[in-house]
Amino acid sequence: MYSNDRKEYLLEVKNRTDHLSYALEIIESNFIALYQLLETTTTLSHSLPLDRSSHEEFLTKIFSSARSSLIYGIGIWYEPYVFSPDRQWYGPYIHYNDPRGGLFSVSYEWSTPEYEYHRTDWYKKILDSASDGFYLTAPYFDTDYTYITVGKPFYREGRKAGVITIDIIRPLLEDFFRQFDFSDYEGLILTLSDRSIIYAVSCIDKGSGGVSMFQEENTEVFNRGKTLEMFTRKGITPLLLETETKDKRFKLYGVTDRKEIIRGLIKHYSRNYIIFLFFSLMLPFFYYLSLRTKRKDIENRQLNFENTSLKIEIQKRKEAETALEFIAYHDPVTGLHNLNAFFETIDSPYGLEDSRYLIQVSLENMRELSIIMDRDIIDSILKEFAGRLVSNCPENAGLFRGRGFNFYIVCMDTPRGNALNLSRSLLQEFRRAILLHNRNIRLRVRFGLAAFAEAEDLNQAVNMSQATLSGNNSKQIDQIFLYNDRIQENNSRMINLDAAMSQNSFIDELHLLYQPIIRVEDRKTVGAEALLRWNSSYTGTIVSPADFIPLAEENGYIIELGWFVLRETIRVLASGIIPGDWFISVNVSPLQFIESGFPDKLDAMMDAAGIDKKRIKLEITESSASSTAQYFWQSVEELINREYRLAIDDFGTGESSFHRLYTLAFDTLKVDRTFVKDIQAAPRNIEIFRSLLNLGKSMENMVIVEGIETEKEHELLKSLGMTYAQGYLYSRPAVLEDIIQEKPPC
Ligand code: C2E
Ligand code: MG
Ligand code: MG
């Protein structure tokens, strides 16, 4: 047993001993009460008149005042002849009629032969005891019950007159002991100091009503060994606990089963052990639970995290979808709706009642600008344009960006006049230059109007508005065109041309015509401009470069086409067919300039042909010369550095960068034909012309005036200082042989 258990065990034993001591104390105090009563009775009795009634009255009073529950009867027992000289014995005795109390009665014992009390053991022992002492008899059986008597002799006239007794019967003792809980005890034994047992009970045979282990008639003496053995025989491991009163008059023994105590302890502890065991066993489970909880927690967190991630993901997807949707339906540069949105949101034309108009706005010079300008500048221009479009269109108008630099306006339920008015006011608006990076950029805008009423579906409406633009001369800038049948024809023609250009025979069908460039002074040819012609087998016609050059720039054939012209020109120069002091001007698309390695490739061709670079002039249009794109100017500079001669074509129609004109050594300025046409309209134009010529001269440029058709123009411009000219007056573009005839080769 663990020391802790032993301690518990001892404590358990001590508790039981204390329990016995407590019971014994109560027994003692009850007996003390009996002694006091006995004392009082003996004191009073010696002066009692020796008659029956006095004794009867006295005993009744004493009995009634007695407080102890142990008292069964009180007797005054006289020695023979003391009460009366003629009577041998006399003993008035008062007692309950029932062993458990209740009614009581007084009886008189008088010299009856069957009851000679002075011969009984109890009487003799009490009478023989010390006169001032009490005597407690061992249990004895007397007619009905087992008695224990406490008695004291009394004196009359100086001699022992008899004994006064207080009787305790066994039923009363049993009642008395019943007030204590001795259920934990296997047996209980109360003894007197001489070890005579006055009360003993075995609790083992509880079923038989607590039968005493002692025979009723027996007056046993307590024997430790015998007692223990008796319990051992009953399968008990007895432990005898004993306690005695201070005066050692009583001893109380409690028999407990040692095993029972240990069992109790085990039971007590086992409960703890079980709890402990339970928790020990449950520990892994709790651990598992806590792990599970933790795992759940982690899982929950994970779930929460995943949930949050999912939410974020969903949010992101939504945002992405929104962004995608935005991208799907918006133009990222201008923020305007795109053609997808146009086809999804605009209702199809619904016949003659449909008063809507589709206005296509084409930014004519943007394609060129986008080749030669940085992209962010192009984007800024487009944003500015879109901003103006939004602020100048009515709220109910739908605005869309189409392919390239085309924009669409749907005038909702607008009468025809209003669509035109809107176009006019927009035209006015876009004439205002856009100021970007300290630079004025003028948009060349064209408007193509198509009535919904004339279209069968949206696609047709778009095609019609497109046709109004492409069916008209692209040089007619700042114009508003209305769709008509001719336009439709033109449009189909362009589609036709595009198809023709994609034929393998395209390049083979090209040839050059040459238009002489003359010196005004003597009208002698100094050079010629190579002008491309296309004799298309597909269309069966000769196609004008004004038609197919822009188309070739759109579909990319311009590069191949450009090399054809250069190759052909170099071949002509190298062939010696033309006079050696002539030069040939070649129109070069800005797209060709930005082709990587263009100067090298050209050099290679020139070197291979052994041609002097002075004999070739590369014409670039003025609008492309207004380029801000670095690589364009790098190429121009490179060509100038390699001693090529560069001409600015159509001078006066585009946005000239005078800064560039001054800083780059251009060789020639070709003044556009429109100046010649306008010259006679107003005297102011003469001044403009004069200053243009002076500008060229001051820059030491060759100034060639294009489009001289009449002698009048020739004379007038000659008087203004024109030195070189080109025009129908001198010669239309012609085959080489025709222009050479004028001046045979040197
Ligand atoms: P451009 O370079 O300004 O060429 C002059 C244009 O004016 C030619 O038209 C010519 O026939 C025309 N022209 C000359 N004198 C007169 C005149 O007195 N009155 C009128 N009304 N027109 C006159 P063309 O040949 O139709 O060429 C048109 C444009 O096509 C050219 O204008 C040029 O920009 C482009 N082009 C022609 N050939 C080529 C080429 O080989 N490559 C490139 N990139 N463009 C070319
Ligand atoms: Mg030209
Ligand atoms: Mg020109």
Side-chain angles (χ1 to χ4, degrees):
M1 196 181 284
Y2 296 106
S3 61
N4 196 42
D5 294 348
R6 184 174 171 74
K7 218 166 85 186
E8 285 297 322
Y9 172 75
L10 293 175
L11 195 70
E12 172 73 10
V13 170
K14 188 178 178 303
N15 281 344
R16 292 187 182 217
T17 311
D18 287 350
H19 191 200
L20 291 179
S21 299
Y22 171 67
L24 199 60
E25 264 177 41
I26 294 177
I27 290 167
E28 191 185 26
S29 62
N30 269 273
F31 273 89
I32 287 168
L34 291 184
Y35 299 150
Q36 285 170 348
L37 184 66
L38 202 57
E39 187 71 48
T40 311
T41 310
T42 50
T43 308
L44 294 174
S45 63
H46 74 269
S47 56
L48 262 177
L50 295 171
D51 59 73
R52 284 185 65 159
S53 60
S54 299
H55 280 79
E56 194 170 327
E57 190 184 347
F58 174 67
L59 280 179
T60 304
K61 280 181 181 165
I62 290 284
F63 199 69
S64 308
S65 65
R67 291 283 172 262
S68 174
S69 55
L70 285 173
I71 297 172
Y72 172 69
I74 301 174
I76 303 173
W77 309 96
Y78 281 91
E79 282 280 283
Y81 308 109
V82 174
F83 184 75
S84 166
D86 57 339
R87 291 179 188 241
Q88 194 177 357
W89 309 292
Y90 180 77
Y93 185 63
I94 188 167
H95 64 99
Y96 289 110
N97 294 336
D98 188 88
R100 311 280 177 206
L103 294 173
F104 54 87
S105 58
V106 179
S107 62
Y108 301 95
E109 307 298 335
W110 185 258
S111 201
T112 54
E114 69 277 12
Y115 193 72
E116 291 186 7
Y117 62 81
H118 63 281
R119 295 185 193 274
T120 59
D121 194 42
W122 61 266
Y123 181 82
K124 282 195 266 184
K125 283 190 172 165
I126 295 168
L127 193 71
D128 292 343
S129 70
S131 58
D132 53 350
F134 304 97
Y135 188 81
L136 254 171
T137 68
Y140 61 96
F141 186 77
D142 188 14
T143 63
D144 45 5
Y145 304 113
T146 295
Y147 284 77
I148 299 158
T149 299
V150 54
K152 189 177 163 61
F154 68 95
Y155 292 80
R156 279 185 80 98
E157 294 164 4
R159 64 177 186 103
K160 267 188 188 168
V163 295
I164 295 175
T165 62
I166 296 175
D167 290 330
I168 304 162
I169 58 169
R170 186 170 173 85
L172 290 183
L173 269 177
E174 281 172 5
D175 286 347
F176 179 83
F177 275 101
R178 221 168 266 135
Q179 67 181 296
F180 304 105
D181 179 14
F182 287 121
S183 59
D184 279 355
Y185 295 80
E186 308 306 322
L188 205 67
I189 305 150
L190 180 67
T191 64
L192 297 178
S193 53
D194 63 355
R195 294 194 290 127
S196 12
I197 299 169
I198 60 170
Y199 175 79
V201 65
S202 166
C203 306
I204 301 165
D205 306 313
K206 287 174 182 135
S208 57
V211 177
S212 167
M213 49 191 165
F214 307 105
Q215 293 297 318
E216 297 266 328
E217 62 272 19
N218 282 354
T219 53
E220 288 278 343
V221 172
F222 174 74
N223 182 312
R224 173 180 286 266
K226 203 176 143 197
T227 306
L228 292 177
E229 191 196 325
M230 188 183 71
F231 281 98
T232 309
R233 267 205 313 273
K234 289 181 182 280
I236 289 166
T237 313
L239 171 69
L240 212 56
L241 307 174
E242 58 180 278
T243 181
E244 60 181 359
T245 53
K246 277 179 202 151
D247 58 3
K248 301 191 188 305
R249 204 184 290 266
F250 296 101
K251 263 197 177 173
L252 188 59
Y253 297 93
V255 183
T256 64
D257 188 348
R258 194 190 294 266
K259 277 188 193 161
E260 197 59 39
I261 295 177
I262 293 167
R263 267 200 295 273
L265 284 171
I266 289 171
K267 210 170 140 190
H268 172 74
Y269 277 101
S270 65
R271 207 176 62 221
N272 292 348
Y273 281 136
I274 284 169
I275 293 168
F276 173 75
L277 209 68
F278 173 78
F279 280 103
S280 304
L281 287 173
M282 290 303 277
L283 210 62
F285 179 66
F286 287 145
Y287 183 62
Y288 165 74
L289 268 186
S290 82
L291 278 183
R292 235 178 88 128
T293 318
K294 260 188 195 161
R295 210 180 63 205
K296 272 259 177 283
D297 191 42
I298 291 168
E299 278 175 7
N300 279 344
R301 280 185 199 191
Q302 185 72 22
L303 271 176
N304 279 342
F305 176 73
E306 280 172 12
N307 224 6
T308 316
S309 305
L310 207 67
K311 277 183 189 166
I312 293 169
E313 188 63 23
I314 290 169
Q315 184 62 29
K316 274 186 183 168
R317 282 193 186 181
K318 274 187 181 166
E319 283 170 9
E321 275 170 21
T322 315
L324 272 178
E325 201 178 285
F326 187 85
I327 290 166
Y329 294 103
H330 290 81
D331 166 43
V333 178
T334 60
L336 293 179
H337 282 104
N338 59 15
L339 278 187
N340 290 340
F342 173 84
F343 285 109
E344 285 195 21
T345 57
I346 301 298
D347 293 333
S348 288
Y350 47 85
L352 293 173
E353 308 237 313
D354 196 338
S355 57
R356 290 174 298 169
Y357 264 77
L358 181 65
I359 305 174
Q360 185 174 165
V361 187
S362 171
L363 302 181
E364 291 296 306
N365 55 338
M366 283 307 285
R367 194 170 43 80
E368 265 174 69
L369 291 175
S370 66
I371 294 167
I372 56 183
M373 281 184 172
D374 290 332
R375 197 177 146 181
D376 54 337
I377 296 178
I378 297 297
D379 287 353
S380 303
I381 295 171
L382 289 173
K383 274 180 204 156
E384 171 67 23
F385 168 78
R388 290 199 197 176
L389 204 60
V390 171
S391 51
N392 286 281
C393 282
E395 270 184 23
N396 65 349
L399 301 176
F400 306 88
R401 177 168 181 188
R403 277 180 280 276
F405 301 105
N406 292 320
F407 293 81
Y408 294 92
I409 305 165
V410 178
C411 299
M412 310 295 281
D413 302 312
T414 305
R416 174 180 285 242
N418 285 351
L420 269 173
N421 287 343
L422 176 63
S423 303
R424 283 188 195 116
S425 71
L426 287 173
L427 194 59
Q428 280 302 116
E429 174 64 31
F430 295 127
R431 277 197 176 123
R432 272 199 308 121
I434 294 171
L435 183 69
L436 268 181
H437 305 290
N438 292 326
R439 182 182 166 77
N440 276 320
I441 294 165
R442 250 197 80 202
L443 294 175
R444 292 162 61 188
V445 208
R446 298 206 305 159
F447 293 81
L449 273 66
F452 271 60
E454 291 172 36
E456 282 181 10
D457 54 30
L458 282 179
N459 262 316
Q460 201 185 348
V462 171
N463 289 340
M464 281 157 63
S465 70
Q466 176 61 41
T468 54
L469 295 176
S470 46
N472 286 284
N473 191 338
S474 63
K475 296 223 165 168
Q476 290 177 282
I477 57 162
D478 292 352
Q479 297 284 333
I480 298 165
F481 303 103
L482 254 174
Y483 179 82
N484 55 39
D485 291 345
R486 192 184 59 77
I487 284 168
Q488 178 58 35
E489 271 170 35
N490 217 352
N491 188 44
S492 334
R493 207 164 64 82
M494 292 313 281
I495 293 166
N496 223 19
L497 274 186
D498 194 63
M501 216 178 268
S502 62
Q503 305 295 305
N504 286 334
S505 56
F506 170 56
I507 297 291
D508 298 336
E509 292 170 356
L510 297 172
H511 67 274
L512 290 174
L513 291 184
Y514 298 86
Q515 185 175 32
I517 295 165
I518 57 107
R519 187 166 51 216
V520 173
E521 188 186 0
D522 53 7
R523 293 205 185 188
K524 296 269 179 182
T525 303
V526 292
E529 180 175 7
L531 292 162
L532 201 53
R533 294 293 177 266
W534 175 23
N535 195 356
S536 172
S537 59
Y538 189 85
T539 60
T541 55
I542 292 178
V543 189
S544 157
D547 285 339
F548 72 82
I549 294 292
L551 195 62
E553 279 178 335
E554 255 173 51
N555 60 26
Y557 286 117
I558 191 73
I559 305 291
E560 202 182 339
L561 182 150
W563 284 116
F564 166 80
V565 177
L566 285 165
R567 223 176 18 248
E568 187 60 15
T569 309
I570 291 169
R571 189 188 64 77
V572 167
L573 286 170
S575 68
I577 307 168
I578 58 163
D581 57 345
W582 285 15
F583 64 87
I584 297 182
S585 270
V586 179
N587 296 283
V588 184
S589 163
L591 281 173
Q592 194 110 50
F593 271 82
I594 60 172
E595 184 197 1
S596 77
F598 174 72
D600 289 342
K601 205 170 165 184
L602 184 61
D603 265 1
M605 283 170 79
M606 295 287 280
D607 288 350
I611 309 292
D612 183 357
K613 288 173 184 167
K614 288 190 177 85
R615 299 197 64 199
I616 198 160
K617 248 181 216 175
L618 304 174
E619 294 189 10
I620 55 171
T621 57
E622 193 198 7
S623 51
S624 66
S626 64
S627 167
T628 57
Q630 203 64 32
Y631 38 82
F632 176 81
W633 290 110
Q634 275 171 5
S635 191
V636 168
E637 213 172 326
E638 182 65 34
L639 289 163
I640 293 170
N641 288 342
R642 294 187 191 198
E643 299 184 336
Y644 284 100
R645 294 183 169 181
L646 269 78
I648 295 183
D649 199 0
D650 303 342
F651 188 75
T653 56
E655 303 291 320
S656 291
S657 166
F658 286 97
H659 166 72
R660 299 279 187 199
L661 289 181
Y662 280 113
T663 52
L664 287 172
F666 281 99
D667 177 81
T668 305
L669 284 183
K670 292 186 80 176
V671 180
D672 194 70
R673 187 167 73 84
T674 49
F675 279 94
V676 182
K677 278 192 146 318
D678 295 342
I679 190 104
Q680 287 156 318
R684 191 170 154 264
N685 290 342
I686 291 173
E687 283 315 307
I688 293 171
F689 207 97
R690 205 197 303 272
S691 57
L692 261 179
L693 292 173
N694 288 337
L695 173 75
K697 275 182 196 147
S698 69
M699 292 192 331
E700 296 178 349
N701 284 335
M702 174 188 259
V703 179
I704 305 170
V705 180
E706 293 183 285
I708 308 292
E709 291 182 353
T710 62
E711 284 294 340
K712 207 175 169 188
E713 285 167 352
H714 174 86
E715 290 306 323
L716 174 65
L717 291 169
K718 190 183 169 189
S719 69
L720 292 174
M722 175 177 75
T723 47
Y724 295 95
Q726 182 182 345
Y728 291 170
L729 174 67
Y730 319 107
S731 170
R732 287 194 171 244
V735 292
L736 196 59
E737 291 74 27
D738 291 349
I739 62 161
I740 298 167
Q741 278 170 11
E742 289 180 21
K743 186 184 178 187
C746 336

